[in-house]
Amino acid sequence: MTDLQLFVVISLPITGLCYATLGAIKLPLSKHIGLDEAKVGGLISAFGLMVGPVIILCGALSDTYGRNPVWNVGSLLVALSFLFFANAKNYVAAVVATVLLAIGWTAMINVANPVMAGAFDDPFTGTNLGDALFGAGAFLCPLMIGLLHRKLGFRKALTGVALVALLPFLVALGQDLGGGQLKGDLGEAFVGYSELLKDRTIWLFGLTMMCWVVIESGTAGWATTLVRQAAPEGELEEKSDKIASRALSAFWLCFMAARLLTAYIVHDTEMTGSELVRVTQILQVAIAVLAVAAMVSLVVSKSRK
């Protein structure tokens, strides 16, 4: 295993953990500082709002100055955000923590995507492994935070996670993550955006991602609330919270498995050219229909099972 592959194996689960954080800490954070569901929704929106502009900026900075400084700053901001969450005493502090988490995670994932594809001889292998590791981190996040919260309390639990979040920064020291092709010419990084906006394929991908992220972030953010509200009358609060955390972890486990399965169907077959495009289009429509059906059933279901 090369140093860059080791970097991918250690760092990608942390990026998944970061992405799953808001859903995982939503219930304990709400109790800790007294948030209602509307304010929790505000935190989730604040996270999403930061991702768009920051990921474009980080891409430009990576191409201009290299990926290492972008990764280092991002990983430090993520660790700092967990400390802010751990010591938050009101909604404003929670918003600041969320913004730091969003900026830091976006910077990290902007670097991680090209690095994991280039760390292996086959870029599909790198991407699929990276996605699996990302999903593994997201899967473990609710379980780990729930366990630490029960054993140590909210503040110590999040402080412990902040220490774990420093691992990507430490692993990147001495690594060459690439980038920097523009040799300091930041303006050159934005050349060509107007042409991209004229490309109908880009708009299709953009609309697809916009719809996908609503399903993913909506489920990740509100699954614990839905599961907890469906708890039988008289059930202990601690038991309800534990089941809700496990349900969120199950979501991320399915997320990881589905990405690997889809990658196998699309890329690890002998189909080429127009046949591959046709199968991919059919698969995308089928997945979209299934996703909508799953979301509707999640909303209308009265039973926790």
Side-chain angles (χ1 to χ4, degrees):
M1 180 180 290
T2 66
D3 290 342
L4 201 58
Q5 289 170 352
L6 181 63
F7 167 82
V8 170
V9 170
I10 293 176
S11 298
L12 263 294
I14 306 298
T15 62
L17 181 148
C18 297
Y19 190 61
T21 292
L22 282 181
I25 69 170
K26 184 167 70 74
L27 293 178
L29 179 65
S30 298
K31 297 174 186 176
H32 185 65
I33 59 177
L35 299 182
D36 57 28
E37 291 295 336
K39 289 186 175 180
V40 171
L43 295 181
I44 295 173
S45 295
F47 184 94
L49 183 65
M50 296 303 299
V51 170
V54 172
I55 205 162
I56 293 175
L57 177 61
C58 287
L61 292 174
S62 294
D63 292 341
T64 306
Y65 304 110
R67 295 179 187 134
N68 284 77
V70 175
W71 177 269
N72 291 337
V73 171
S75 54
L76 289 175
L77 285 177
V78 163
L80 184 62
S81 73
F82 282 111
L83 293 178
F84 267 76
F85 275 124
N87 295 281
K89 301 231 181 334
N90 52 50
Y91 181 62
V92 173
V95 171
V96 172
T98 301
V99 170
L100 290 175
L101 178 66
I103 295 174
W105 175 81
T106 304
M108 291 175 70
I109 205 65
N110 183 279
V111 172
N113 280 326
V115 169
M116 67 185 182
F120 298 83
D121 293 334
D122 179 9
F124 290 128
T125 299
T127 301
N128 293 339
L129 177 61
D131 286 344
L133 292 169
F134 180 94
F139 162 70
L140 292 172
C141 180
L143 297 177
M144 182 177 72
I145 288 180
L147 177 63
L148 291 176
H149 180 235
R150 290 192 295 272
K151 299 293 184 181
L152 303 176
F154 183 80
R155 187 171 181 273
K156 289 183 179 179
L158 270 295
T159 301
V161 176
L163 294 176
V164 173
L166 283 173
L167 275 175
F169 173 78
L170 298 175
V171 175
L173 295 177
Q175 295 270 14
D176 181 8
L177 302 181
Q181 300 93 330
L182 300 182
K183 309 296 184 184
D185 187 358
L186 183 60
E188 186 69 19
F190 295 97
V191 173
Y193 268 87
S194 60
E195 293 300 317
L196 281 176
L197 293 177
K198 297 175 184 177
D199 190 325
R200 289 183 295 178
T201 303
I202 292 295
W203 279 101
L204 175 61
F205 288 157
L207 290 172
T208 300
M209 292 293 291
M210 185 176 71
C211 296
W212 163 73
V213 79
V214 171
I215 295 174
E216 183 186 51
S217 62
T219 305
W222 302 106
T224 51
T225 299
L226 289 171
V227 172
R228 195 170 183 279
Q229 287 178 347
E233 189 175 349
E235 183 175 80
L236 292 176
E237 189 174 293
E238 183 178 344
K239 182 180 179 181
S240 298
D241 289 350
K242 186 184 295 186
I243 293 174
S245 293
R246 289 174 178 173
L248 183 58
S249 286
F251 165 76
W252 287 116
L253 181 64
C254 293
F255 167 90
M256 176 177 62
R259 292 189 76 157
L260 287 174
L261 178 61
T262 305
Y264 170 76
I265 293 173
V266 174
H267 298 300
D268 291 351
T269 65
E270 296 180 355
M271 293 182 295
T272 57
S274 60
E275 185 182 7
L276 180 59
V277 171
R278 183 180 60 83
V279 171
T280 303
Q281 290 173 338
I282 294 172
L283 188 63
Q284 183 175 8
V285 172
I287 291 172
V289 172
L290 288 173
V292 172
M295 288 293 290
V296 171
S297 65
L298 185 65
V299 172
V300 303
S301 177
K302 302 298 182 183
S303 170
R304 184 167 64 185
K305 291 183 180 181

